[in-house]
Amino acid sequence: MYSISASIIKWLLLDYFNSILVFIFSQFLHSITFGLTQFAFVKYLDEHVENKYFPFAHGIYAAA
């Protein structure tokens, strides 16, 4: 939910404000959304995929 919220805020800021400072702040929000989404998916794989299939599942995720 944090990642989705930060992503919505990021796109709204970029749409409504034309400022370099807003753009820099949006890049900070982008790093948060990317990091949280990556963490959440790897945690999901860890909890729902058997250890022997984990590298394959993570490879599919990375390729997609």
Side-chain angles (χ1 to χ4, degrees), residues 38-58:
Q38 182 79 3
F39 174 77
F41 194 79
V42 171
K43 184 171 173 60
Y44 175 84
L45 287 178
D46 189 44
E47 293 175 357
H48 292 91
V49 175
E50 293 181 39
N51 285 341
K52 64 181 179 179
Y53 298 120
F54 184 86
F56 177 72
H58 191 270

Side-chain angles (χ1 to χ4, degrees), residues 14-42:
L14 285 174
D15 186 43
Y16 289 114
F17 299 100
N18 188 15
S19 165
I20 190 69
L21 292 176
V22 172
F23 178 74
I24 292 169
F25 182 69
S26 75
Q27 291 304 300
F28 173 71
L29 289 176
H30 175 70
S31 68
I32 291 172
T33 60
F34 179 81
L36 286 175
T37 302
Q38 182 79 3
F39 174 77
F41 194 79
V42 171

